[in-house]
Short mmCIF file of all heavy atoms in Angstrom, two decimals:
data_model
loop_
_atom_site.label_atom_id
_atom_site.label_comp_id
_atom_site.label_asym_id
_atom_site.label_seq_id
_atom_site.Cartn_x
_atom_site.Cartn_y
_atom_site.Cartn_z
N LYS F 48 75.00 -15.28 13.32
CA LYS F 48 74.83 -14.92 14.69
C LYS F 48 73.30 -14.95 15.13
O LYS F 48 73.02 -15.37 16.22
CB LYS F 48 75.45 -13.47 14.89
CG LYS F 48 75.44 -12.97 16.33
CD LYS F 48 76.00 -11.55 16.42
CE LYS F 48 75.84 -11.02 17.80
NZ LYS F 48 76.15 -9.64 17.87
N ILE F 49 72.48 -14.44 14.27
CA ILE F 49 71.00 -14.42 14.57
C ILE F 49 70.52 -15.85 14.73
O ILE F 49 69.79 -16.17 15.69
CB ILE F 49 70.25 -13.69 13.49
CG1 ILE F 49 70.53 -12.25 13.44
CG2 ILE F 49 68.69 -13.90 13.66
CD1 ILE F 49 69.87 -11.45 12.24
N LEU F 50 70.96 -16.82 13.86
CA LEU F 50 70.59 -18.22 13.99
C LEU F 50 71.03 -18.80 15.38
O LEU F 50 70.30 -19.41 16.03
CB LEU F 50 71.07 -19.10 12.82
CG LEU F 50 70.44 -18.77 11.48
CD1 LEU F 50 71.23 -19.53 10.38
CD2 LEU F 50 68.99 -19.28 11.48
N GLU F 51 72.34 -18.55 15.64
CA GLU F 51 72.86 -19.14 16.85
C GLU F 51 72.24 -18.54 18.12
O GLU F 51 72.00 -19.26 19.12
CB GLU F 51 74.43 -18.92 16.86
CG GLU F 51 75.10 -19.78 15.82
CD GLU F 51 76.57 -19.50 15.67
OE1 GLU F 51 77.02 -18.45 16.12
OE2 GLU F 51 77.26 -20.43 15.12
N GLU F 52 71.96 -17.24 18.12
CA GLU F 52 71.28 -16.57 19.26
C GLU F 52 69.86 -17.20 19.45
O GLU F 52 69.30 -17.09 20.53
CB GLU F 52 71.15 -15.07 18.98
CG GLU F 52 72.54 -14.34 19.27
CD GLU F 52 72.44 -12.87 18.92
OE1 GLU F 52 71.41 -12.44 18.27
OE2 GLU F 52 73.41 -12.15 19.25
N ASN F 53 69.32 -17.82 18.40
CA ASN F 53 67.98 -18.39 18.51
C ASN F 53 68.09 -19.90 18.60
O ASN F 53 67.16 -20.69 18.30
CB ASN F 53 67.12 -17.96 17.32
CG ASN F 53 66.64 -16.55 17.50
OD1 ASN F 53 65.61 -16.30 18.12
ND2 ASN F 53 67.41 -15.61 16.98
N GLN F 54 69.27 -20.37 19.09
CA GLN F 54 69.47 -21.85 19.38
C GLN F 54 69.30 -22.70 18.08
O GLN F 54 68.87 -23.89 18.16
CB GLN F 54 68.55 -22.37 20.42
CG GLN F 54 68.95 -21.90 21.87
CD GLN F 54 68.56 -20.40 22.09
OE1 GLN F 54 67.40 -20.03 21.91
NE2 GLN F 54 69.55 -19.62 22.51
N ILE F 55 69.65 -22.17 17.02
CA ILE F 55 69.67 -22.97 15.68
C ILE F 55 71.16 -23.13 15.31
O ILE F 55 71.74 -22.14 14.87
CB ILE F 55 68.83 -22.27 14.62
CG1 ILE F 55 67.38 -22.13 15.03
CG2 ILE F 55 68.85 -23.11 13.30
CD1 ILE F 55 66.55 -21.25 14.08
N LYS F 56 71.67 -24.28 15.39
CA LYS F 56 73.01 -24.51 14.94
C LYS F 56 73.12 -24.43 13.42
O LYS F 56 72.11 -24.85 12.72
CB LYS F 56 73.47 -25.96 15.33
CG LYS F 56 73.56 -26.16 16.83
CD LYS F 56 73.89 -27.62 17.09
CE LYS F 56 73.71 -27.96 18.58
NZ LYS F 56 73.74 -29.36 18.82
N CYS F 57 74.16 -23.97 12.90
CA CYS F 57 74.23 -23.88 11.40
C CYS F 57 75.66 -24.27 10.98
O CYS F 57 76.65 -23.90 11.56
CB CYS F 57 73.82 -22.51 10.93
SG CYS F 57 74.78 -21.18 11.37
N VAL F 58 75.66 -24.93 9.87
CA VAL F 58 76.89 -25.27 9.12
C VAL F 58 76.91 -24.21 8.03
O VAL F 58 75.96 -24.07 7.23
CB VAL F 58 76.82 -26.62 8.54
CG1 VAL F 58 78.09 -26.97 7.70
CG2 VAL F 58 76.70 -27.70 9.65
N VAL F 59 78.00 -23.43 7.88
CA VAL F 59 78.09 -22.42 6.87
C VAL F 59 78.74 -23.00 5.60
O VAL F 59 79.78 -23.52 5.57
CB VAL F 59 78.94 -21.20 7.36
CG1 VAL F 59 79.12 -20.21 6.32
CG2 VAL F 59 78.18 -20.60 8.60
N GLU F 60 77.98 -22.84 4.52
CA GLU F 60 78.51 -23.23 3.18
C GLU F 60 78.05 -22.20 2.15
O GLU F 60 77.02 -22.29 1.57
CB GLU F 60 78.00 -24.64 2.77
CG GLU F 60 78.73 -25.14 1.56
CD GLU F 60 78.49 -26.61 1.32
OE1 GLU F 60 78.15 -27.34 2.25
OE2 GLU F 60 78.71 -26.99 0.12
N PRO F 61 78.86 -21.13 1.92
CA PRO F 61 78.46 -20.08 1.05
C PRO F 61 78.15 -20.56 -0.35
O PRO F 61 78.87 -21.45 -0.87
CB PRO F 61 79.65 -19.10 1.02
CG PRO F 61 80.37 -19.44 2.34
CD PRO F 61 80.15 -20.91 2.52
N SER F 62 77.15 -19.97 -0.95
CA SER F 62 76.77 -20.44 -2.34
C SER F 62 77.63 -19.86 -3.43
O SER F 62 77.76 -20.43 -4.52
CB SER F 62 75.28 -19.98 -2.63
OG SER F 62 75.16 -18.60 -2.63
N ASN F 63 78.25 -18.68 -3.13
CA ASN F 63 79.10 -18.04 -4.15
C ASN F 63 78.35 -17.72 -5.47
O ASN F 63 79.01 -17.81 -6.56
CB ASN F 63 80.36 -18.78 -4.38
CG ASN F 63 81.21 -18.90 -3.14
OD1 ASN F 63 81.35 -17.90 -2.34
ND2 ASN F 63 81.80 -20.04 -2.85
N VAL F 64 77.07 -17.45 -5.38
CA VAL F 64 76.36 -17.07 -6.57
C VAL F 64 76.73 -15.74 -7.07
O VAL F 64 77.03 -14.78 -6.23
CB VAL F 64 74.72 -17.08 -6.20
CG1 VAL F 64 73.99 -16.33 -7.26
CG2 VAL F 64 74.27 -18.48 -6.03
N ASP F 65 76.86 -15.50 -8.32
CA ASP F 65 77.23 -14.22 -8.88
C ASP F 65 75.99 -13.34 -8.80
O ASP F 65 75.18 -13.24 -9.79
CB ASP F 65 77.72 -14.35 -10.28
CG ASP F 65 78.27 -13.07 -10.92
OD1 ASP F 65 77.99 -12.02 -10.32
OD2 ASP F 65 78.84 -13.10 -12.00
N GLU F 66 75.83 -12.64 -7.68
CA GLU F 66 74.57 -11.92 -7.46
C GLU F 66 74.38 -10.73 -8.47
O GLU F 66 73.23 -10.57 -8.91
CB GLU F 66 74.55 -11.31 -6.05
CG GLU F 66 74.56 -12.41 -4.98
CD GLU F 66 74.43 -11.80 -3.59
OE1 GLU F 66 73.80 -10.82 -3.41
OE2 GLU F 66 75.09 -12.45 -2.64
N GLU F 67 75.42 -10.09 -8.82
CA GLU F 67 75.27 -8.87 -9.69
C GLU F 67 74.78 -9.34 -11.14
O GLU F 67 74.00 -8.67 -11.67
CB GLU F 67 76.56 -8.16 -9.80
CG GLU F 67 76.97 -7.42 -8.54
CD GLU F 67 75.83 -6.54 -7.90
OE1 GLU F 67 75.18 -5.78 -8.67
OE2 GLU F 67 75.55 -6.65 -6.71
N SER F 68 75.32 -10.48 -11.58
CA SER F 68 74.88 -10.87 -12.94
C SER F 68 73.43 -11.35 -12.99
O SER F 68 72.70 -11.13 -13.83
CB SER F 68 75.81 -11.97 -13.54
OG SER F 68 75.71 -13.15 -12.80
N VAL F 69 73.02 -11.98 -11.82
CA VAL F 69 71.61 -12.36 -11.71
C VAL F 69 70.73 -11.19 -11.58
O VAL F 69 69.69 -11.10 -12.23
CB VAL F 69 71.41 -13.29 -10.41
CG1 VAL F 69 69.93 -13.60 -10.15
CG2 VAL F 69 72.27 -14.61 -10.58
N LYS F 70 71.15 -10.18 -10.78
CA LYS F 70 70.36 -8.99 -10.71
C LYS F 70 70.26 -8.27 -12.07
O LYS F 70 69.10 -7.86 -12.44
CB LYS F 70 71.01 -7.99 -9.69
CG LYS F 70 70.74 -8.28 -8.27
CD LYS F 70 71.48 -7.19 -7.46
CE LYS F 70 71.47 -7.60 -5.98
NZ LYS F 70 72.32 -6.70 -5.11
N ASP F 71 71.31 -8.16 -12.78
CA ASP F 71 71.29 -7.52 -14.05
C ASP F 71 70.37 -8.19 -15.03
O ASP F 71 69.58 -7.56 -15.75
CB ASP F 71 72.74 -7.54 -14.70
CG ASP F 71 73.64 -6.51 -14.02
OD1 ASP F 71 73.14 -5.66 -13.23
OD2 ASP F 71 74.90 -6.62 -14.17
N SER F 72 70.41 -9.52 -15.07
CA SER F 72 69.51 -10.34 -15.91
C SER F 72 68.02 -10.09 -15.54
O SER F 72 67.22 -9.92 -16.39
CB SER F 72 69.89 -11.79 -15.74
OG SER F 72 68.99 -12.61 -16.43
N LEU F 73 67.71 -10.11 -14.27
CA LEU F 73 66.37 -9.90 -13.77
C LEU F 73 65.87 -8.52 -14.07
O LEU F 73 64.70 -8.34 -14.40
CB LEU F 73 66.21 -10.28 -12.35
CG LEU F 73 66.34 -11.75 -11.99
CD1 LEU F 73 66.50 -11.97 -10.48
CD2 LEU F 73 65.11 -12.56 -12.43
N LEU F 74 66.72 -7.57 -13.88
CA LEU F 74 66.38 -6.20 -14.15
C LEU F 74 66.02 -5.93 -15.64
O LEU F 74 65.18 -5.18 -15.97
CB LEU F 74 67.48 -5.19 -13.71
CG LEU F 74 67.66 -4.98 -12.24
CD1 LEU F 74 68.95 -4.29 -11.90
CD2 LEU F 74 66.46 -4.22 -11.69
N LYS F 75 66.70 -6.64 -16.52
CA LYS F 75 66.37 -6.58 -18.00
C LYS F 75 65.00 -7.13 -18.29
O LYS F 75 64.41 -6.76 -19.29
CB LYS F 75 67.45 -7.32 -18.83
CG LYS F 75 68.76 -6.55 -18.89
CD LYS F 75 69.83 -7.49 -19.61
CE LYS F 75 71.19 -6.72 -19.53
NZ LYS F 75 72.27 -7.58 -19.87
N GLU F 76 64.53 -7.97 -17.37
CA GLU F 76 63.18 -8.50 -17.54
C GLU F 76 62.15 -7.73 -16.74
O GLU F 76 61.05 -8.13 -16.51
CB GLU F 76 63.12 -9.98 -17.05
CG GLU F 76 64.02 -10.88 -17.89
CD GLU F 76 64.16 -12.31 -17.28
OE1 GLU F 76 63.32 -12.68 -16.45
OE2 GLU F 76 65.08 -13.01 -17.65
N ASN F 77 62.58 -6.52 -16.22
CA ASN F 77 61.76 -5.61 -15.46
C ASN F 77 61.24 -6.24 -14.12
O ASN F 77 60.12 -5.98 -13.69
CB ASN F 77 60.52 -5.11 -16.26
CG ASN F 77 60.94 -4.28 -17.40
OD1 ASN F 77 61.85 -3.44 -17.35
ND2 ASN F 77 60.37 -4.63 -18.67
N ALA F 78 62.06 -7.07 -13.50
CA ALA F 78 61.68 -7.71 -12.22
C ALA F 78 61.70 -6.60 -11.10
O ALA F 78 62.51 -5.68 -11.14
CB ALA F 78 62.63 -8.79 -11.87
N THR F 79 60.78 -6.74 -10.22
CA THR F 79 60.71 -5.80 -9.06
C THR F 79 61.81 -6.19 -8.11
O THR F 79 62.37 -7.34 -8.05
CB THR F 79 59.36 -5.96 -8.35
OG1 THR F 79 59.27 -7.24 -7.82
CG2 THR F 79 58.23 -5.64 -9.28
#
Side-chain angles (χ1 to χ4, degrees):
K48 186 180 174 191
I49 292 172
L50 288 170
E51 289 173 344
E52 283 175 349
N53 284 273
Q54 288 73 55
I55 301 169
K56 295 176 193 166
C57 65
V58 176
V59 174
E60 190 168 339
S62 64
N63 299 318
V64 164
D65 185 349
E66 295 185 34
E67 291 309 312
S68 68
V69 173
K70 279 181 194 172
D71 289 344
S72 173
L73 288 167
L74 284 168
K75 283 173 187 167
E76 296 171 19
N77 298 315
T79 63

